[in-house]
């Protein structure tokens, strides 16, 4: 086991919680010791839900280990059913309870509860959160919809004539903008004349899961969670599934064409949108100075791959890094990295990700809340595109990532750090101008205290200061060179500093002077 401060994914039982909490009448009974009971924290505080998650813990303590924890579990199962009366019950263990091997699934099946009981085998020391959500959803679909599957060798019964119908798969509680994405895609499908039969697991009841086989096809918005269930539905009920995730203008139009082909409808009504502003803004004069900005992308595979396409093909950025933390979907990340000529990074070690970002010296990072912290330390702008996320990434307003409105949101979200970075640089450049100081207030990005004036240029030399801008104990800088370095925008200052120090070392210069800085700029600018 590897100890770490941060993890990109929780244990698999958290994924099962996300599925249960996203549904309306499913309860999750979790065999867990005191200390593993943090569902309320996840869903009521981080996601800001207005009701508690449907999770019951056995909550055994250390003194219970000498007695019968199995009996304690069975009592908790009976009490949970009597209190909540769920239409279906999921049963599993937390990572700690897994070690005592009580077999909660087998115990629950012996109780004869008057609702379907679905045991979950989620190996906490081998798998992670997204896999747990995927496996839980798959077990739910197979357990509840399987009873309505046609017999081997038979085809499902023809449904009554009407408009084409689909299921939307993959949305869960605690998902990054899942609620808004689903609303956006429902509107898009409605413009094509396609009805949504079931949206699951987010917002679905157990009875909805049971009738999923009645739809004509499945729309998979989040492959990490919905693809396994979609494959089973395709094999069992003959329902095709979509493979394109509609993030960005180009992908949304490709998605519309894919859905239209599956459903046998005309794609024209949904190939454009009157409220779509992103393409025009991307080509506008105001966006010209953003062209060619270096961007590093990291997150779950679905969002990282989509963000790479949007960054390169729709916003004109230069992709300098691409990676994902979920190894199960590494193939798509590697294929996309090869298409754009960068080295893929498949890792769940945030220290490795930080090292890669620092080496790439991007001007913008698109990542998770982990990368937001990393970018802040490195002085680089960042926008969050993927889970894991913070409470601020669950806005009260409508802010999808998918569809045409999602493309507008992406443009606003990604451009903002670059614009604010330029503003901060200009504030720093003109802070010593007496007219500026008399008329302007402090920057909203920095401290409210007035920044000290830069030291006048002199011939004195000293070691680089121990801060993110100039930290290198081996480099010796003259004051005038340091003052000039600080005039460089903060989001590329680190790269300029490293280039100057590398150039000085290669040319044998013991002190980095103003001339050294200019020579390094000319050398690396060729």
């Amino acid at each position: 086991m590897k100890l770490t401060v941060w993890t990109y994914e929780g244990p698999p039982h958290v994924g099962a919680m996300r599925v249960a909490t996203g549904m309306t009448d499913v309860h999750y009974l979790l065999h867990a010791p005191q200390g593993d009971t943090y569902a309320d924290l996840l869903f009521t505080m981080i996601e800001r839900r207005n009701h508690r998650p449907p999770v019951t813990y056995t909550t055994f303590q250390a003194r219970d280990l000498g007695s019968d924890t199995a009996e304690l579990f069975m009592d908790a199962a009976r009490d949970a059913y009597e209190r909540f009366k769920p239409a279906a019950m999921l049963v599993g263990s937390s990572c700690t309870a897994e070690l005592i091997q009580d077999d909660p699934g087998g115990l629950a099946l012996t109780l004869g509860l008057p609702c379907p009981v679905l045991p979950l085998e989620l190996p906490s020391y081998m798998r992670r959160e997204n896999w747990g959500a995927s496996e839980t959803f798959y077990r739910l679909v197979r357990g509840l919809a399987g009873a309505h599957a046609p017999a081997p060798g038979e085809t499902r019964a023809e449904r009554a004539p009407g408009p084409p119908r689909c299921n939307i798969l993959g949305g869960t509680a605690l998902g990054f903008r899942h609620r808004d994405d689903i609303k956006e895609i429902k509107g898009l499908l409605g413009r094509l004349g396609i009805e949504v039969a079931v949206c699951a697991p987010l917002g679905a009841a157990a009875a909805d899961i049971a009738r999923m086989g009645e739809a004509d096809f499945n729309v998979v918005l989040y492959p990490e969670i919905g693809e396994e269930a979609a494959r089973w539905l395709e094999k069992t009920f003959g329902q095709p599934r979509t493979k394109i995730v509609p993030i960005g203008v180009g992908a949304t139009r490709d998605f519309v064409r894919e859905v239209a082909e599956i459903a046998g409808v005309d794609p024209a009504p949904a190939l454009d949108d009157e409220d779509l502003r992103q393409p025009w803004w991307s080509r506008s004069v105001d966006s010209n100075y953003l062209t060619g900005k270096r961007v590093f992308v990291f997150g779950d595979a679905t969002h990282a791959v989509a963000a790479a396409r949007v960054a390169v093909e729709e916003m004109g950025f230069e992709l300098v890094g691409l990676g994902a933390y979920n190894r199960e979907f590494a193939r798509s990340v590697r294929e996309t990295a090869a298409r754009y000529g960068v080295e893929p990074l498949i890792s769940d070690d945030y220290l490795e990700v930080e090292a890669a970002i620092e080496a790439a010296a991007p001007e913008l990072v698109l990542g998770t809340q982990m990368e937001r912290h990393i970018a802040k330390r490195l002085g680089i702008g960042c926008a969050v595109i993927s889970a894991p996320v913070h409470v601020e990434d669950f806005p009260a307003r409508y802010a999808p990532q998918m569809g045409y409105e999602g493309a507008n949101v992406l443009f606003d979200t990604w451009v903002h750090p670059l614009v604010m970075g330029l503003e901060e640089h200009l504030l720093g450049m003109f802070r010593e101008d007496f007219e500026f100081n008399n008329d302007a207030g402090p920057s909203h990005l920095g401290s409210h205290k007035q920044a000290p004036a830069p030291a006048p240029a002199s011939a004195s030399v000293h070691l680089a200061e121990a801060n993110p801008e100039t930290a290198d104990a081996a480099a010796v800088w003259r004051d005038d060179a340091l003052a000039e370095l600080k005039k460089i925008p903060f989001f590329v200052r680190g790269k300029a500093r490293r280039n100057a120090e590398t150039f000085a070392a290669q040319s044998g210069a013991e002190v980095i002077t103003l001339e050294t800085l200019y020579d390094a700029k000319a050398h690396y600018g060729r």
Side-chain angles (χ1 to χ4, degrees):
M1 181 181 294
K2 182 177 180 180
L3 296 178
T4 182
V5 178
W6 290 336
T7 57
Y8 284 97
E9 295 182 85
H13 70 264
V14 172
M17 283 184 201
R18 291 174 55 189
V19 172
T21 304
M23 299 183 67
T24 60
D25 57 3
V26 172
H27 201 80
Y28 185 26
L29 178 61
L30 190 64
H31 198 31
Q34 190 173 23
D36 278 0
T37 54
Y38 44 77
D40 282 354
L41 175 68
L42 289 174
F43 298 100
T44 60
M45 191 183 84
I46 295 180
E47 194 177 22
R48 298 187 290 194
R49 294 177 66 85
N50 59 0
H51 57 279
R52 297 184 65 183
V55 181
T56 293
Y57 296 92
T58 57
T59 320
F60 59 84
Q61 300 180 44
R63 64 173 178 265
D64 298 317
L65 295 177
S67 58
D68 192 353
T69 54
E71 187 62 36
L72 186 151
F73 170 82
M74 291 190 287
D75 289 342
R78 296 187 191 98
D79 293 345
Y81 180 79
E82 289 302 320
R83 179 180 178 185
F84 298 105
K85 295 292 194 296
M89 183 177 285
L90 302 171
V91 178
S93 298
S94 73
C95 46
T96 310
E98 185 180 326
L99 298 175
I100 64 176
Q101 300 181 345
D102 272 338
D103 186 22
L107 293 171
L109 290 173
T110 66
L111 296 177
L113 298 176
C115 73
V117 175
L118 302 172
L120 299 177
E121 295 293 334
L122 305 177
S124 299
Y125 299 97
M126 298 172 60
R127 297 290 191 169
R128 298 293 179 90
E129 180 180 331
N130 278 327
W131 183 90
S134 173
E135 179 69 9
T136 301
F137 184 44
Y138 165 72
R139 292 295 172 187
L140 267 169
V141 172
R142 185 165 183 170
L144 300 179
H148 306 280
E154 297 181 1
T155 58
R156 61 176 179 159
E158 292 292 329
R159 70 175 183 87
R165 304 174 68 191
C166 72
N167 301 316
I168 297 179
L169 308 184
T172 68
L174 207 67
F176 182 57
R177 309 291 171 84
H178 287 193
R179 174 198 63 191
D180 295 347
D181 286 347
I182 289 170
K183 181 179 179 181
E184 180 73 12
I185 298 308
K186 281 183 176 180
L188 201 62
L189 294 170
R191 290 165 59 180
L192 293 172
I194 298 172
E195 294 182 353
V196 176
V198 176
C199 179
L202 189 62
D208 296 326
I209 301 292
R211 62 184 181 87
M212 289 182 71
E214 298 173 5
D216 299 308
F217 65 99
N218 292 303
V219 171
V220 183
L221 293 187
Y222 309 99
E224 283 89 348
I225 298 168
E227 186 169 354
E228 186 176 6
R231 288 178 183 275
W232 183 83
L233 289 166
E234 184 172 28
K235 179 180 178 180
T236 305
F237 291 97
Q239 297 171 330
R241 70 183 193 278
T242 62
K243 298 179 177 63
I244 297 172
V245 178
I247 298 178
V249 178
T252 297
R253 289 172 177 158
D254 291 345
F255 170 81
V256 167
R257 295 186 185 97
E258 180 186 36
V259 167
E261 183 177 356
I262 292 174
V265 299
D266 182 10
L271 282 177
D272 214 337
D273 190 281
E274 61 183 10
D275 294 324
L276 179 60
R277 299 179 180 88
Q278 184 268 329
W280 181 84
W281 280 108
S282 294
R283 296 191 299 269
S284 69
V285 173
D286 290 341
S287 286
N288 282 351
Y289 75 93
L290 301 178
T291 301
K293 293 295 184 184
R294 295 164 55 83
V295 61
F296 191 103
V297 178
F298 192 87
D300 68 51
T302 293
H303 287 88
V305 167
R309 176 178 176 180
V310 173
V312 174
E313 299 180 14
E314 298 179 20
M315 296 194 184
F317 296 155
E318 178 188 353
L319 188 69
V320 297
L322 174 63
Y325 55 78
N326 45 344
R327 299 179 183 276
E328 297 90 344
F329 288 82
R331 177 179 295 178
S332 61
V333 177
R334 292 192 176 100
E335 291 172 352
T336 303
R339 184 183 315 132
Y340 296 121
V342 297
E343 189 69 25
L345 173 63
I346 309 299
S347 175
D348 58 2
D349 183 345
Y350 67 91
L351 294 176
E352 186 178 355
V353 177
E354 180 171 3
I357 292 173
E358 189 170 11
E363 295 158 271
L364 176 66
V365 175
L366 303 176
T368 73
Q369 72 161 333
M370 312 283 216
E371 284 65 52
R372 176 161 51 195
H373 294 310
I374 291 169
K376 186 175 181 180
R377 286 201 302 276
L378 297 176
I380 304 170
C382 180
V384 174
I385 62 163
S386 162
V389 292
H390 193 261
V391 61
E392 67 187 76
D393 296 306
F394 291 96
R397 70 186 186 280
Y398 182 59
Q401 299 287 286
M402 296 186 180
Y404 296 123
E405 186 58 28
N408 292 333
V409 171
L410 290 181
F411 182 79
D412 285 343
T413 307
W414 298 6
V415 165
H416 179 81
L418 293 171
V419 173
M420 292 301 100
L422 179 63
E423 177 182 311
E424 186 73 0
H425 172 56
L426 293 175
L427 289 171
M429 284 181 63
F430 293 102
R431 194 176 297 280
E432 299 311 310
D433 188 288
F434 73 95
E435 292 181 348
F436 177 84
N437 275 332
N438 288 338
D439 297 336
S443 165
H444 66 287
L445 293 180
S447 169
H448 284 257
K449 296 180 181 179
Q450 184 68 27
S458 71
S460 64
V461 298
H462 56 81
L463 294 180
E465 301 166 8
N467 61 55
E469 296 177 359
T470 59
D472 188 339
V476 180
W477 287 73
R478 268 180 43 162
D479 284 342
D480 55 351
L482 273 177
E484 188 69 16
L485 178 67
K486 291 178 180 179
K487 295 179 181 179
I488 299 173
F490 73 90
F491 44 84
V492 290
R493 193 177 300 154
K495 180 181 178 183
R497 176 182 60 81
R498 287 190 295 273
N499 285 348
E501 291 169 355
T502 302
F503 179 79
Q506 292 175 349
S507 59
E510 296 181 356
V511 177
I512 300 176
T513 64
L514 194 58
E515 291 72 19
T516 309
L517 188 60
Y518 289 149
D519 290 344
K521 179 181 178 182
H523 175 78
Y524 289 104
R526 288 201 298 264

